[in-house]
Amino acid sequence: MDLYKLVRPAIFKVDPEVDHHIVATGLKMFNQTPQVLRTMFQTKNYENLKVTVKGITFDSPIGIAAGFDKKAEFYNSLGALGAGFVEIGSVTKYNQPGNKKKRIFRLPEDQAIINRMGLNNLGIEETRTHLANTPKHVKIGISVAPGHGLDTESMIDEMVEDIKQIHSFGDYIALNQSCPNQKGVTTLQEIPVAKRLLQKIHNLHIKEPVFCKFGNDVTSEQMLNLLAEIGDLMDGIILTNTASNPSPIHADLQSAHKTEGGGLSGKPIFEKSLSLTKAVHQAFPDLPIMFSGGVFTPEDAQVALEAGASLVQVYTGFIYNGPTLLNQINRHLSAHDVIAGLQHSDNIKALPVHSDDDIVVTDIEAAKKVELDASSGASFHEE
């Protein structure tokens, strides 16, 4: 019997942000002593689930997406529940309160969530302090995003400086280039902007692999064109971020909150994330893919891995199905020996090959820069 599903109706009567705060408070209690949670939930590591991606060996390919542990407060606790990695953040240079409340909406009929948080976080310095004060027992990704109210060039420069300050605290860096809830962020998916950003990051000469996170609204053709231009500048890709409202996906939603502005996550975006994963894996088999978007069951995770993903993130499925979901997925993947059956390139396992030499940073055409600054593509933002 799944006790969480029995009490979920009562939990879902609480405001989602209040509910998250309660959960976070509980998980923080065990961040220094995660073995207590591991004993309570009887989680275990499975030897046949270990995967190596860009020189990093993960105890499980299943992790938690950015946005759940925004403040780097309970990553070890999530690892104790079965996560092979936790992506913290997104983090910006300065503390940001985000958009005004109410800003999270559950869509239970659709097994989805719409959020318009607006990249609320503690900022680089406070996040660094949290990471420094609690040694990690799980692999950590650090999601970096630009601050509010910046033009294109300032977003690039700020993110590069932030990475310089925080990269050593994580196992990999994730670039949030697709958050629909803060003006300007989706501009970072445009080829000239993404190229300049990645070139500047290359010239930092960090050892941690860099993953680019792109939005659910991008078509397969757009994605493949983008990767043809900048794929050699990144170490991996995350597919996908939330879907903007409106999008074709929203037309089939049933829940009362379906028209709320913000990013849609959960079951409705699974198929689009899957189609992009298949297209990218077929065209770029040496590029590691971190699947994100609508994983609710062990079978969902298996499908994503077999479609070409090397790693899989969960978020909304974790909220709907509770703290045992990670262990359920791990147990299923282990029992079916799924990892052993994957046919992935050996280049996915290899350490990133980064030249010690600086590369030329490409300028963005002045007219194009003005156009990008004027139209960010954000589906929800507040000035």
Side-chain angles (χ1 to χ4, degrees):
M1 180 181 294
D2 192 331
L3 294 178
Y4 181 81
K5 289 185 178 179
L6 287 176
V7 301
R8 187 174 65 190
I11 294 172
F12 274 24
K13 290 183 182 299
V14 179
D15 178 85
E17 196 159 352
V18 173
D19 179 30
H20 184 84
H21 178 73
I22 294 170
V23 171
T25 300
L27 290 173
K28 280 191 289 186
M29 294 171 57
F30 301 99
N31 206 41
Q32 298 278 2
T33 56
Q35 64 274 14
V36 176
L37 273 185
R38 188 174 289 277
T39 301
M40 288 171 59
F41 284 88
Q42 299 183 321
T43 55
K44 60 177 290 188
N45 291 334
Y46 297 89
E47 192 63 29
N48 65 344
L49 290 191
K50 287 188 175 180
V51 293
T52 300
V53 178
K54 288 301 169 187
I56 306 168
T57 298
F58 299 85
D59 287 335
S60 164
I62 310 303
I64 296 289
F68 198 79
D69 188 7
K70 284 178 175 286
K71 303 174 182 179
E73 294 177 313
F74 46 86
Y75 43 88
N76 287 329
S77 296
L78 293 170
L81 293 176
F85 61 100
V86 178
E87 194 169 298
I88 65 160
S90 293
V91 186
T92 58
K93 184 174 183 178
Y94 301 112
N95 180 308
Q96 292 193 161
N99 294 322
K100 67 181 180 182
K101 301 176 182 180
K102 182 176 181 177
R103 52 192 183 181
I104 308 179
F105 303 88
R106 298 189 190 96
L107 284 67
E109 293 84 357
D110 303 296
Q111 297 185 82
I113 288 174
I114 289 176
N115 93 83
R116 49 174 183 253
M117 298 297 289
L119 296 177
N120 59 309
N121 73 101
L122 297 176
I124 285 288
E125 286 302 320
E126 187 73 13
T127 303
R128 276 166 47 103
T129 299
H130 286 194
L131 290 168
N133 287 343
T134 306
K136 59 188 178 68
H137 299 276
V138 64
K139 294 296 187 290
I140 294 290
I142 301 176
S143 176
V144 176
H148 178 79
L150 303 176
D151 61 22
T152 298
E153 194 65 38
S154 298
M155 284 194 295
I156 292 171
D157 289 343
E158 184 174 283
M159 289 178 73
V160 171
E161 182 60 30
D162 289 347
I163 291 168
K164 185 178 179 180
Q165 296 295 322
I166 204 169
H167 72 91
S168 62
F169 290 90
D171 294 287
Y172 72 87
I173 298 297
L175 305 181
N176 187 343
Q177 298 165 257
S178 47
C179 175
N181 301 322
Q182 179 175 288
K183 186 174 181 179
V185 179
T186 55
T187 303
L188 297 166
Q189 298 181 117
E190 297 282 347
I191 289 173
V193 185
K195 180 180 288 188
R196 186 169 173 84
L197 172 62
L198 286 166
Q199 288 169 337
K200 287 196 169 191
I201 292 171
H202 169 92
N203 290 348
L204 291 175
H205 303 295
I206 65 174
K207 65 179 179 64
E208 295 79 15
V210 175
F211 284 72
C212 295
K213 186 170 187 176
F214 297 115
N216 191 270
D217 308 308
V218 178
T219 67
S220 293
E221 182 180 10
Q222 289 171 328
M223 181 62 65
L224 296 182
N225 289 339
L226 177 67
L227 291 176
E229 291 285 338
I230 65 170
D232 60 342
L233 290 168
M234 66 180 76
D235 300 306
I237 187 170
I238 304 173
L239 297 171
T240 64
N241 211 325
T242 56
S244 300
N245 189 3
S247 77
I249 295 171
H250 286 74
D252 296 324
L253 299 179
Q254 304 298 316
S255 301
H257 293 301
K258 65 182 181 180
T259 60
E260 293 288 346
L264 174 72
S265 64
K267 207 64 180 171
I269 74 170
F270 179 82
E271 289 300 328
K272 178 62 180 297
S273 293
L274 191 65
S275 68
L276 286 171
T277 296
K278 290 177 178 178
V280 170
H281 181 62
Q282 182 175 4
F284 299 91
D286 290 342
L287 185 68
I289 300 170
M290 200 177 292
F291 185 94
S292 183
V295 172
F296 272 59
T297 67
E299 290 76 16
D300 291 339
Q302 180 173 348
V303 167
L305 289 165
E306 292 175 344
S310 302
L311 300 165
V312 174
Q313 296 182 335
V314 299
Y315 188 127
T316 304
F318 188 69
I319 292 170
Y320 273 83
N321 291 327
T324 63
L325 176 63
L326 298 169
N327 204 33
Q328 290 172 28
I329 295 175
N330 287 337
R331 190 164 56 242
H332 171 89
L333 296 178
S334 177
H336 292 80
D337 209 11
V338 170
I339 303 303
L342 301 179
Q343 302 296 320
H344 288 176
S345 164
D346 287 340
N347 291 328
I348 288 176
K349 300 178 183 179
L351 283 164
V353 179
H354 294 162
S355 168
D356 292 333
D357 298 326
D358 283 355
I359 58 175
V360 175
V361 178
T362 308
D363 287 332
I364 302 172
E365 184 183 341
K368 180 66 172 175
K369 188 181 295 184
V370 172
E371 176 187 334
L372 290 167
D373 289 341
S375 178
S376 71
S379 69
F380 187 93
H381 65 266
E382 294 182 343
E383 299 295 345

